[in-house]
Amino acid sequence: MPIVTLVQAINMALDEELRRDERVMILGEDVGQRGGVFLATEGLQQKYGPDRVMDTPLSEAAILGAAVGLAAHGMRPVAEIQFADYVFPGIDQLFSQAAKLRYRSGGQFTAPMVVRMPSGGGVKGGHHHSQSPEAHFAHTPGLKVVVVSTPYDAKGLLKSAIRDDDPVVFMEPKRLYRAVKEEVPSDDYLIPIGKAALRREGRDITLVSYGGPMVETLKAAEEMAVAGVEAEVIDLRTVMPWDKETVLNSVAKTGRLLVVSEAPRTASVASEVAATVSEELFDQLLAPPLRVTGFDTPYPLAQDKLYMPTVTRILNAAKRLLDY
């Protein structure tokens, strides 16, 4: 199996789906000849032509509006938003149209479309190139929301998203694009949307994360193991719908929960996981669930490293739980 980066795995998935299904097409700013700002679509226009890998004007409303229309009429468009921060001019198309098309038409129409977007911080991008807006999408009924952290998952989940009959927001932590490598099969495989991954087994505390902070979460778990604490680590992979069963089963075993996310703290995915565990497992908890998250501020440039969840912040929170 080839050893590839996360962004190369994205390219592999797109290539295979374009080849497999003539209804699949890509549209977005600079996705064609340039291959995208991060080169995720590199070489695909040359291979499949400008009608299937289409450069668009600098208009997120146009990109997402066109994708909704294409999806409603039988195509399977993959729309790329250059940075997650840029999606907001097209939010009405995504929230009011794509997310509600199946419901408002009584099932007569669906919107089988994917909206890919690089997300998250850690690259000194400042407040317009570093946000993690997954909670906005998760709060919108009708959307599925995926946030990947490994090349293997990126390929399998993107292929599943493209084949799904409902709109999927597919978020790719840009700081991991070329920071992680692993073996990824060249043949076809799918990973189900809505199923978490158990990254490490443990008995003392459950660490739940997704996307970019999975790196720091796993490093923290390794340091805990040196001190004799066995942490169970869960990668949500999908934040809507999220895998409640896997998380609840783990916390029922360990009695402690720590959720790690780089998104702002209030009304976050981390808050939802912590609240659900509190409601469902109150009598089995050995300590109140804790969160290590970003802050309720615009994403800072100068304080980039202070904003992100770090191994030290995770270890300090874990100690609070273990000492409770």
Side-chain angles (χ1 to χ4, degrees):
M1 291 188 291
I3 298 175
V4 301
T5 63
L6 195 149
V7 74
Q8 289 171 326
I10 295 291
N11 186 275
M12 289 171 66
L14 293 170
D15 188 6
E16 291 174 17
E17 292 303 297
L18 284 163
R19 182 171 63 250
R20 186 190 66 85
D21 188 345
E22 63 181 9
R23 297 173 299 169
V24 176
M25 61 177 295
I26 299 170
L27 67 159
E29 299 164 9
D30 298 324
V31 299
Q33 186 173 0
R34 173 75 172 86
V37 67
F38 293 102
L39 304 182
T41 56
E42 185 177 24
L44 297 181
Q45 188 182 74
Q46 291 82 349
K47 193 170 184 178
Y48 297 100
D51 290 338
R52 296 191 66 200
V53 183
M54 183 183 301
D55 284 317
T56 67
L58 301 180
S59 171
E60 285 70 30
I63 294 168
L64 294 177
V68 173
L70 287 162
H73 285 82
M75 300 296 286
R76 289 187 173 265
V78 181
E80 178 182 297
I81 305 298
Q82 277 194 348
F83 289 85
D85 317 61
Y86 297 174
V87 73
F88 297 104
I91 281 292
D92 184 56
Q93 305 288 351
L94 186 59
F95 285 10
S96 300
Q97 307 304 326
K100 295 174 175 59
L101 187 57
R102 177 189 288 274
Y103 186 85
R104 69 184 294 206
S105 69
Q108 296 180 78
F109 294 96
T110 60
M113 56 184 277
V114 177
V115 185
R116 290 184 44 247
M117 59 185 74
S119 64
V123 295
K124 297 190 180 300
H127 49 275
H128 284 154
H129 298 81
S130 304
Q131 295 178 81
S132 298
E134 58 268 15
H136 292 291
F137 308 120
H139 288 167
T140 303
L143 296 179
K144 297 177 181 179
V145 187
V146 175
V147 190
V148 294
S149 69
T150 70
Y152 181 87
D153 286 356
K155 180 182 174 182
L157 280 164
L158 181 53
K159 291 168 75 72
S160 292
I162 292 171
R163 300 183 196 186
D164 199 285
D165 287 332
D166 290 300
V168 180
V169 176
F170 195 89
M171 306 182 75
E172 305 158 8
K174 66 181 80 69
R175 67 184 172 106
L176 301 187
Y177 266 152
R178 292 171 175 84
V180 292
K181 289 184 177 182
E182 67 178 347
E183 289 186 341
V184 174
S186 298
D187 55 353
D188 185 47
Y189 68 92
L190 301 174
I191 294 175
I193 291 173
K195 182 62 179 175
L198 181 63
R199 301 297 187 199
R200 184 186 182 105
E201 292 190 16
R203 63 177 185 275
D204 299 316
I205 184 173
T206 299
L207 307 181
V208 175
S209 188
Y210 59 90
M214 278 304 305
V215 174
E216 289 75 23
T217 302
L218 285 167
K219 287 181 180 178
E222 292 171 4
E223 293 198 22
M224 289 183 208
V226 174
V229 175
E230 292 299 327
E232 187 145 289
V233 181
I234 295 172
D235 184 346
L236 287 180
R237 301 195 293 196
T238 305
V239 299
M240 179 54 68
W242 63 280
D243 189 351
K244 298 177 184 177
E245 181 180 4
T246 295
V247 173
L248 291 173
N249 286 342
S250 175
V251 180
K253 175 176 64 175
T254 66
R256 302 177 180 91
L257 171 68
L258 177 59
V259 191
V260 183
S261 167
E262 67 182 85
R265 184 178 183 85
T266 301
S268 61
V269 172
S271 301
E272 178 64 23
V273 173
T276 299
V277 168
S278 295
E279 290 174 348
E280 299 290 335
L281 298 176
F282 185 82
D283 291 337
Q284 296 169 259
L285 291 174
L286 300 175
L290 293 181
R291 294 166 288 163
V292 174
T293 67
F295 299 93
D296 293 334
T297 68
Y299 193 98
L301 175 61
Q303 295 83 21
D304 184 275
K305 291 184 178 180
L306 295 175
Y307 184 93
M308 302 286 287
T310 62
V311 172
T312 298
R313 288 178 62 196
I314 296 169
L315 291 174
N316 287 343
K319 186 176 186 303
R320 283 183 59 194
L321 284 168
L322 294 162
D323 290 346
Y324 185 81

